[in-house]
Amino acid sequence: MRLGVLDVGSNTVHLLVVDAHRGAAPLPAYSHKTELKLAEHLDKDGKIAKSGADELVSFVTEAAELAEDKGCESVLAFATSALREAPNGEKVLDRVRKEAAVDLDVLSGQDEARLTFLAVRRWFGWSSGRLAVFDIGGGSLEIAAGSDEEPTVAVSVPLGAGRLTRESLTQDPPDKDEVKALRKRIRVEMAAVAGDVLRAGKPQRSVATSKTFRSLARICGAAPSDDGPYVARSLDREDLTEWMPKLTAMSAAERAELPGVSAGRSNQLVAGALVADAVMDLFDLASLEVCPWALREGVILSRLDQLQPR
């Protein structure tokens, strides 16, 4: 069957069309996305401004038409932290429902962590044993760990790269004192949940997903995306430590010139790198393997699991 997956994230709104059936890997057939950066369309009260809602409705309408053009049997549409946390999130969702005829399912942070974990488990398989999975989004950091397809622990922490940049880094290149203060904040907030993850047991495989981790891995020498999803990629703590002072000294424009870094996300890379560095330090990880599957694939796999076999 052909499915559309519409992911409304804090940074990007992405329509992915896949050919999928139970027992097989979803095959991407078409992709269409925009860096809407919904979380930046906020007023002083944290509400999504009309400009952001207008752009969201417009893109979702376009995505729904494209999904129909591509022959999708159905569209799995979901939203994450930007709409989940906005005081007027329900009103924006209602606008999307009425004007674009699309019903967005707002995932909890725990659901994000759980579904991402499912995708990573299916990608690496049972031989991986106990998994620990880390995903840096625009608004939050998801962490999940366990030995089965359902994680033993799944948590979401408000440590997304976009959020931290907006709240804590006001200069370009970032101010050294602001970087120092943000580093402390990240580690304090992450340490508050690290114990719950670590008490469940030491992982046999530690995995990173998301654009932020992929960009950092690419900067540190991982293979480019053009080499395909089956090439093994990892982010080594030693390499990231070496890059940290270079990244913080660069402007956003200079970071955008680095391999694997888009202009739209270059301003968030310092905050994302600080989160990645804290993950590897607090969880005592020498490296993180990079998984090409993440939340979107988890949503697809979960949907396929619910279908009756033919």
Side-chain angles (χ1 to χ4, degrees), residues 182-236:
L182 178 56
R183 183 181 185 274
K184 179 178 179 180
R185 170 188 167 182
I186 289 168
R187 287 166 181 259
V188 168
E189 292 191 32
M190 197 180 300
V193 300
D196 293 335
V197 180
L198 294 169
R199 272 192 291 272
K202 185 175 178 61
Q204 294 166 283
R205 196 165 203 160
S206 299
V207 180
T209 70
S210 77
K211 177 66 173 176
T212 295
F213 274 121
R214 291 197 301 272
S215 295
L216 292 170
R218 180 72 183 98
I219 291 169
C220 292
S225 57
D226 288 348
D227 286 1
Y230 298 107
V231 175
R233 296 174 175 87
S234 64
L235 173 63
D236 293 341

Side-chain angles (χ1 to χ4, degrees), residues 87-166:
N88 64 333
E90 283 298 329
K91 290 185 177 180
V92 175
L93 289 169
D94 191 52
R95 267 199 67 185
V96 172
R97 192 178 301 116
K98 290 178 179 177
E99 298 177 34
V102 173
D103 193 1
L104 289 171
D105 181 20
V106 179
L107 300 179
S108 68
Q110 188 175 44
D111 281 340
E112 285 189 60
R114 179 180 60 80
L115 290 165
T116 302
F117 183 89
L118 172 64
V120 173
R121 169 61 74 193
R122 295 280 177 90
W123 180 267
F124 285 112
W126 293 110
S127 63
S128 299
R130 180 173 176 78
L131 281 173
V133 177
F134 305 89
D135 186 301
I136 302 172
S140 57
L141 164 72
E142 274 67 53
I143 306 172
S147 300
D148 302 320
E149 290 202 332
E150 281 288 329
T152 305
V153 56
V155 296
S156 179
V157 194
L159 295 176
R163 179 199 300 271
L164 296 177
T165 301
R166 290 191 307 275

Side-chain angles (χ1 to χ4, degrees), residues 184-310:
K184 179 178 179 180
R185 170 188 167 182
I186 289 168
R187 287 166 181 259
V188 168
E189 292 191 32
M190 197 180 300
V193 300
D196 293 335
V197 180
L198 294 169
R199 272 192 291 272
K202 185 175 178 61
Q204 294 166 283
R205 196 165 203 160
S206 299
V207 180
T209 70
S210 77
K211 177 66 173 176
T212 295
F213 274 121
R214 291 197 301 272
S215 295
L216 292 170
R218 180 72 183 98
I219 291 169
C220 292
S225 57
D226 288 348
D227 286 1
Y230 298 107
V231 175
R233 296 174 175 87
S234 64
L235 173 63
D236 293 341
R237 183 178 171 191
E238 188 175 297
D239 292 334
L240 181 60
T241 299
E242 183 179 336
W243 266 98
M244 286 300 299
K246 302 176 190 177
L247 292 174
T248 56
M250 290 178 176
S251 66
E254 290 170 329
R255 291 191 294 272
E257 297 297 319
L258 296 172
V261 181
S262 68
R265 291 178 182 255
S266 61
N267 67 315
Q268 303 180 10
L269 194 63
V270 168
L274 288 169
V275 174
D277 183 56
V279 163
M280 300 178 84
D281 190 3
L282 269 64
F283 290 90
D284 193 23
L285 303 171
S287 67
L288 285 164
E289 296 180 72
V290 178
C291 180
W293 280 6
L295 178 58
R296 280 186 292 274
E297 288 77 13
V299 169
I300 295 166
L301 293 167
S302 179
R303 170 62 181 273
L304 293 175
D305 288 348
Q306 295 168 17
L307 299 178
Q308 294 296 323
R310 293 182 178 178

Side-chain angles (χ1 to χ4, degrees), residues 6-88:
L6 182 59
D7 175 359
V8 179
S10 299
N11 285 315
T12 305
V13 186
H14 189 173
L15 170 69
L16 178 65
V17 175
V18 298
D19 292 316
H21 62 269
R22 288 186 63 174
L27 296 176
Y30 177 77
S31 176
H32 180 56
K33 61 184 175 181
T34 183
E35 288 190 345
L36 177 58
K37 294 188 177 179
L38 193 61
E40 293 185 7
H41 290 271
L42 302 178
D43 63 19
K44 59 182 176 60
D45 297 318
K47 295 179 180 179
I48 296 172
K50 184 177 183 299
S51 60
D54 289 345
E55 288 188 40
L56 177 61
V57 169
S58 176
F59 185 86
V60 172
T61 301
E62 179 186 11
E65 292 171 354
L66 286 169
E68 182 177 329
D69 290 345
K70 298 298 179 183
C72 291
E73 186 173 317
S74 62
V75 176
L76 311 176
F78 65 91
T80 56
S81 63
L83 278 168
R84 183 170 67 231
E85 297 174 7
N88 64 333

